[in-house]
Amino acid sequence: IMACSVAYAMDRFGALPPAIEVGAGEALDAALTPIIIAEHGVPVALAAIGDPIRADARASIARLRDRGWDVR
């Protein structure tokens, strides 16, 4: 079993199964990271992982900028 990025999977296996390709696009649209799961060299599943933006993110970035960090 292997887990890899979409780019790596496409380089290694060629075209992905349509359902996995669509799911990967939907994951990206939802700001998630798509991970392709392959078994015996065949893409068989998709996992999408991510973290929600924390409520205190804006304040944390402001503190970094106040300390001289260039945050973009």
Side-chain angles (χ1 to χ4, degrees):
I1 295 179
M2 171 182 176
C4 60
S5 70
V6 172
Y8 184 85
M10 292 178 77
D11 284 346
R12 174 119 186 209
F13 310 122
L16 298 173
I20 291 177
E21 190 170 338
V22 168
E26 290 172 351
L28 289 170
D29 290 343
L32 300 172
T33 301
I35 305 294
I36 305 301
I37 311 300
E39 186 175 32
H40 302 293
V42 178
V44 295
L46 169 74
I49 58 173
D51 289 323
I53 296 174
R54 292 174 44 148
D56 65 345
R58 186 178 304 272
S60 297
I61 291 170
R63 281 194 303 276
L64 289 171
R65 286 186 174 137
D66 289 345
R67 294 177 180 161
W69 287 75
D70 181 16
V71 180
R72 298 174 192 204

